[in-house]
Amino acid sequence: MMELNLTRVDYVQVGVTSQKTMKLLPAHSKKDPTQKIAVADHSGVLQCFNMKKGNPVHAFKTLPGPLKVTQLELGGPPGGIREKVFVAMGPEVRGFNKKGKQFLGFDTNLTESIKCLHVDGADLFIAGNYIYNHYRDCKDMNYFLSSDKINDLICLPLNRSPEVTPVLACQDRVLRILKDSELLYEVEVPGPPTTLCLFGNDGGDEGEEVLYGTSDGRVGLVQISRLSPSHRWELPNEKRNGGVLALDNYDITGDGILDLIVGRDDGLVEIYGYDETEEPMLKYSNACSESVTSVQGGQVASAGYDEVVCATYAGWVLGLTTEEQHKEAGPGNEVKISQDVQNKMIHLRQELEEIQQKVMKEREKYQYTAQNKKAISAVPHFHINDKYVLNREDASYTLSLELQMAIDNVLLQSDVPIDLLDVDKNSAVVSYSAVDPEQGNFLLATYRCQANTTRLELKIRSIEGQYGTIQAYVTPRLQPKTCQIKQYYIKPLSLHQRTHIFDENRPHNSLKLTGQFSLAEVHSWVSFCIPELPDRTPAGDTVSFNFVSTFLDTQLSCTYRKGEAVFKSDNISTISILKDVLTKEATKKKIRLDITYDINEESIPHTLSLIHPKLEYQLLLAKKVQLIEALKELQVHESDVSFMSPEYQQILQDTDKLQQEYKRQPCHLERLYGMITDLFIDKFKFKGQNVKSKVPLLLEVLDNYDLEALLNFFNTCE
């Protein structure tokens, strides 16, 4: 896999950076192919510099401002050299030339801050959370209100496309293709798209190809034609790496074909080459310790040496360069150090001494202030970059917390039962404290981080039907000690994910609610129950959403309007949870609901058949893990184990793999037993019968599991 050998070189550290806030300016000339780096941060500072003999030399640096820079783009004439720098700050767009002179200060007067920015010639495309605007020569041309959050935007190249074709990456797993102020069509993608990039930096052969990265770590290529889209390829996230924050195209392998560079929120930088069928293949990967917010390929430090320049959340601008940074010599050989390197070493030593002196002075100053009775202690402010995302692969939530400074510890508290799953990347030491569920406290876990850990990732699995909040108390290594609290909601149907497909052929149960409620009220109730719904009420009289369970693959359809809501699902427990929670929410508002439901008996065996393979696999896994100790003992006493059955020999071979999998999925079997129990209780609840007394009999059937016997038990317990 590793055909490339790249070395990390740190250039500068700026303030905290947002996604896509670092770009490489084009080279001056063929004689000097090195490029300048333009980077902007949360303190509002935009700086442009190049590297000379290992040190940054600034072309310009702006003063700090009250607003953070949310995105940085390069602009220029269509098809020409893009060397003008545009930054988005709050509702304003500012433009700077390569010498740092501001030539544009355009206040859009938008009610929300600009999140995304794209510049092509005299055309300026911007988007906030929901609103997209297109300006030409700073005059308003087009406007579009998206039904869900806009994460990124791009426009097909104007010099290669007959019409202006903006592409919006939206949170509801679609790319929205616009024509003027109208929606042309939607392209469904496998996860919530977080970043967009033109394929080959120019849209490919036709100028219509767009790369996208998703928050669940997938990368894909889609061709945007005028009539319909065409999916070219998709990279699955089999290793469960972090979400994609940045994409770029650059020939780092030197084979004449542009490679794909991917930056992820878990610090992974990947380089993909293309095979004969134009499918991407991993060539190189490098793990940074913090989120990579921007990636660009180019030549920065030395002419003739290609590199991948990355900006991280904490503000580090670094290069992964093809230039050799280490020289090796055998025993007795002399290593000659050039004058430049000697000067650099002297400079670094001086810099280190200055920093040590500065630290000493500040420490003495702090000690004096701490003992002074008149001194006032100020709480240091810090920003937390957090992400709380549902993973379809293992039906769990990934909670990542990232700070600019080192994390001391994180205390996790939950008022609902949850499981904490093992994360390989997590080096923190976890300890659990005793809790009292009667006091509404189901979990109290402390993660103590190792020195210089700035990012912590946790995996959480919830139980559907039980809802509440998780609170994370984040304490950094700062003096005086301070802590920030972050809250994350576990919704009643927390393991459901948005989808655009609904299979009408499945047996469905339906729930219908009617009453004196508005569209906004019913939308707030539904978004309280199910994740991945937009905060604001969608436009139109009737709203429809489809969901799929990441744990069981059952589906749910929600259609509602003023005074009426209809829910359909092939899982009766989903309908039961919705009925209970929605009734409770309506009662809080003192709204009377008329409830009618239609239960399809065929949905019970259908749901049990979906649980069956998962349950069978977990029972077999548990059985194999139980046999490991006995088989290992036999192996110790018997030098030759060839007399064992092939099945037992396979268990001995796969011991570590089986134990890891069993450890990775604690309580999985109990969770499946719980779902079958809920299904059993819910089936008879809708008939007005209480069968909780028969649950022990059901558990006996499950202990000697057989699908036919289980179906018979469900049918005979009338």
Side-chain angles (χ1 to χ4, degrees):
M1 178 189 83
M2 301 295 179
E3 295 175 19
L4 278 169
N5 185 21
L6 303 181
T7 312
R8 173 172 170 164
V9 184
D10 291 345
Y11 294 141
V12 293
Q13 187 176 20
V14 297
V16 174
T17 65
S18 292
Q19 193 179 344
K20 293 172 87 168
T21 50
M22 186 275 297
K23 294 280 182 185
L24 296 187
L25 271 66
H28 283 296
S29 61
K30 287 183 180 178
K31 286 183 181 177
D32 182 16
T34 57
Q35 296 169 263
K36 288 178 181 173
I37 300 172
V39 61
D41 58 34
H42 282 199
S43 60
V45 174
L46 165 65
Q47 50 190 299
C48 182
F49 62 91
N50 62 334
M51 299 302 294
K52 284 275 169 71
K53 296 179 181 178
N55 296 312
V57 178
H58 282 82
F60 68 87
K61 185 176 180 180
T62 65
L63 294 169
L67 299 170
K68 67 180 183 182
V69 176
T70 48
Q71 199 158 336
L72 181 151
E73 276 295 322
L74 298 182
I81 298 170
R82 302 168 75 87
E83 56 184 7
K84 292 186 171 73
V85 182
F86 294 85
V87 290
M89 305 171 76
E92 193 179 344
V93 177
R94 293 180 188 174
F96 298 84
N97 66 16
K98 61 183 179 182
K99 292 181 180 175
K101 185 182 178 185
Q102 185 176 335
F103 64 86
L104 176 70
F106 175 47
D107 192 345
T108 60
N109 293 318
L110 291 179
T111 52
E112 53 186 30
S113 293
I114 298 167
K115 269 181 68 181
C116 321
L117 170 72
H118 183 76
V119 183
D120 198 344
D123 290 86
L124 177 66
F125 306 87
I126 61 168
N129 282 325
Y130 294 92
I131 300 164
Y132 153 83
N133 281 81
H134 169 208
Y135 300 94
R136 183 168 290 157
D137 293 320
C138 296
K139 290 176 184 170
D140 204 343
M141 298 292 291
N142 296 303
Y143 163 91
F144 180 76
L145 178 65
S146 174
S147 56
D148 211 329
K149 279 187 180 173
I150 302 167
N151 293 328
D152 200 7
L153 80 87
I154 207 163
C155 182
L156 298 185
L158 297 180
N159 61 322
R160 304 185 65 192
S161 178
E163 293 175 350
V164 177
T165 311
V167 182
L168 308 183
C170 299
Q171 186 65 25
D172 54 352
R173 289 180 166 76
V174 293
L175 304 179
R176 289 188 164 85
I177 317 303
L178 307 182
K179 183 185 177 184
D180 298 331
S181 297
E182 299 297 320
L183 178 67
L184 191 61
Y185 59 80
E186 293 179 345
V187 185
E188 292 169 20
V189 291
T194 47
T195 185
L196 297 172
C197 174
L198 290 172
F199 179 67
N201 299 326
D202 61 358
D205 297 336
E206 307 284 325
E208 297 177 336
E209 293 174 326
V210 174
L211 289 158
Y212 64 83
T214 68
S215 62
D216 56 359
R218 299 164 198 259
V219 180
L221 177 66
V222 64
Q223 186 168 356
I224 312 287
S225 64
R226 293 307 301 164
L227 300 172
S228 63
S230 134
H231 287 273
R232 298 288 299 276
W233 50 257
E234 183 209 317
L235 276 175
N237 187 14
E238 288 163 356
K239 292 184 180 176
R240 294 176 189 166
N241 294 325
V244 179
L245 291 181
L247 296 167
D248 191 35
N249 304 275
Y250 186 76
D251 180 17
I252 192 93
T253 51
D255 59 358
I257 299 166
L258 293 178
D259 302 303
L260 172 63
I261 305 168
V262 179
R264 298 180 182 271
D265 65 14
D266 59 353
L268 206 62
V269 178
E270 296 172 320
I271 297 171
Y272 290 87
Y274 294 95
D275 59 16
E276 296 79 20
T277 59
E278 296 187 359
E279 291 279 326
M281 296 185 329
L282 186 65
K283 298 276 186 186
Y284 175 84
S285 72
N286 181 78
C288 304
S289 58
E290 54 209 59
S291 297
V292 176
T293 52
S294 307
V295 290
Q296 288 271 286
Q299 294 181 19
V300 173
S302 304
Y305 291 100
D306 294 317
E307 59 186 284
V308 176
V309 182
C310 312
T312 69
Y313 165 75
W316 280 107
V317 179
L318 57 101
L320 298 171
T321 178
T322 51
E323 185 180 6
E324 279 289 332
Q325 299 293 314
H326 305 284
K327 289 182 180 175
E328 293 182 6
N333 291 3
E334 283 188 24
V335 179
K336 291 183 179 178
I337 300 173
S338 68
Q339 192 62 43
D340 286 346
V341 174
Q342 285 181 25
N343 292 341
K344 192 177 177 183
M345 286 166 71
I346 293 164
H347 177 72
L348 284 170
R349 284 197 186 104
Q350 286 173 348
E351 203 175 321
L352 193 62
E353 282 173 19
E354 284 172 18
I355 291 168
Q356 284 173 338
Q357 290 292 324
K358 204 173 176 183
V359 168
M360 288 283 288
K361 284 178 185 173
E362 288 297 324
R363 205 168 266 162
E364 284 170 14
K365 190 179 171 185
Y366 177 74
Q367 291 293 338
Y368 172 75
T369 313
Q371 290 164 8
N372 190 341
K373 291 179 182 178
K374 292 180 181 178
I376 299 167
S377 178
V379 176
H381 175 74
F382 59 94
H383 182 263
I384 299 175
N385 180 28
D386 59 337
K387 196 178 82 161
Y388 182 60
V389 177
L390 177 61
N391 305 307
R392 180 156 191 175
E393 281 77 14
D394 57 359
S396 69
Y397 278 90
T398 297
L399 172 61
S400 67
L401 302 160
E402 186 173 11
L403 274 66
Q404 192 181 16
M405 66 287 293
I407 302 171
D408 186 22
N409 65 75
V410 173
L411 176 74
L412 212 63
Q413 185 268 333
S414 172
D415 56 10
V416 285
I418 56 169
D419 294 333
L420 292 177
L421 309 181
D422 274 354
V423 179
D424 296 334
K425 291 175 258 186
N426 191 345
S427 59
V429 178
V430 62
S431 56
Y432 295 90
S433 305
V435 291
D436 184 6
E438 289 180 9
Q439 298 289 323
N441 200 356
F442 283 88
L443 175 82
L444 207 58
T446 308
Y447 286 86
R448 287 179 178 82
C449 299
Q450 293 183 5
N452 301 324
T453 302
T454 58
R455 188 176 186 276
L456 182 67
E457 191 171 294
L458 316 170
K459 265 192 181 293
I460 296 159
R461 185 174 283 148
S462 56
I463 301 168
E464 289 207 323
Q466 306 206 31
Y467 54 98
T469 54
I470 296 173
Q471 295 193 111
Y473 296 76
V474 185
T475 308
R477 290 182 191 271
L478 280 181
Q479 293 295 340
K481 276 286 181 216
T482 182
C483 173
Q484 262 193 49
I485 303 171
K486 286 280 182 180
Q487 278 196 339
Y488 306 95
Y489 295 101
I490 293 176
K491 302 198 175 188
L493 294 174
S494 56
L495 301 181
H496 276 68
Q497 199 176 62
R498 277 280 290 276
T499 182
H500 301 280
I501 304 155
F502 189 78
D503 184 3
E504 292 286 354
N505 298 321
R506 291 188 184 188
H508 288 114
N509 308 287
S510 65
L511 171 72
K512 186 178 179 182
L513 308 176
T514 52
Q516 296 294 314
F517 51 78
S518 66
L519 178 63
E521 280 172 328
V522 69
H523 178 74
S524 71
W525 298 342
V526 176
S527 59
F528 175 80
C529 290
I530 317 169
E532 298 194 4
L533 280 175
D535 298 332
R536 62 169 65 184
T537 309
D541 298 329
T542 304
V543 178
S544 278
F545 294 111
N546 296 324
F547 298 88
V548 63
S549 166
T550 55
F551 200 82
L552 287 183
D553 287 328
T554 55
Q555 54 186 21
L556 167 67
S557 163
C558 310
T559 306
Y560 49 91
R561 54 194 169 92
K562 184 184 175 183
E564 184 183 277
V566 178
F567 305 92
K568 289 200 296 183
S569 175
D570 50 346
N571 186 352
I572 198 170
S573 294
T574 303
I575 293 292
S576 175
I577 291 166
L578 278 169
K579 176 180 167 287
D580 293 346
V581 178
L582 293 173
T583 308
K584 200 173 177 181
E585 288 301 299
T587 308
K588 280 184 194 171
K589 294 259 185 172
K590 296 181 181 175
I591 294 171
R592 184 175 169 273
L593 290 181
D594 291 320
I595 302 169
T596 55
Y597 47 83
D598 179 25
I599 304 304
N600 189 335
E601 289 289 336
E602 288 177 21
S603 70
I604 306 295
H606 164 77
T607 307
L608 288 173
S609 69
L610 289 174
I611 296 173
H612 172 68
K614 292 178 173 62
L615 184 57
E616 208 171 37
Y617 178 79
Q618 287 300 322
L619 286 165
L620 189 63
L621 180 65
K623 186 183 170 186
K624 283 179 179 177
V625 170
Q626 281 176 338
L627 285 169
I628 285 170
E629 284 304 315
L631 290 172
K632 274 190 171 178
E633 206 169 313
L634 263 175
Q635 195 178 23
V636 169
H637 293 295
E638 301 286 340
S639 55
D640 182 21
V641 290
S642 58
F643 65 89
M644 286 188 191
S645 69
E647 185 193 347
Y648 288 167
Q649 287 182 36
Q650 193 64 42
I651 290 171
L652 278 171
Q653 277 180 23
D654 300 341
T655 296
D656 293 340
K657 190 181 168 187
L658 290 166
Q659 285 178 329
Q660 272 182 348
E661 191 172 350
Y662 193 69
K663 190 182 172 186
R664 206 183 297 127
Q665 299 185 332
C667 315
H668 207 103
L669 204 55
E670 289 87 339
R671 186 67 55 86
L672 290 165
Y673 279 8
M675 285 183 169
I676 293 169
T677 307
D678 289 344
L679 196 70
F680 177 67
I681 292 167
D682 291 333
K683 176 190 173 179
F684 292 100
K685 186 172 85 171
F686 280 105
K687 292 181 178 181
Q689 298 174 26
N690 188 341
V691 289
K692 285 186 180 176
S693 59
K694 293 181 181 176
V695 168
L697 294 171
L698 172 63
L699 293 173
E700 277 181 36
V701 173
L702 288 172
D703 285 338
N704 306 295
Y705 177 69
D706 175 68
L707 183 59
E708 287 301 318
L710 186 62
L711 287 168
N712 288 337
F713 182 81
F714 266 75
N715 292 330
T716 52
C717 280
E718 294 291 337

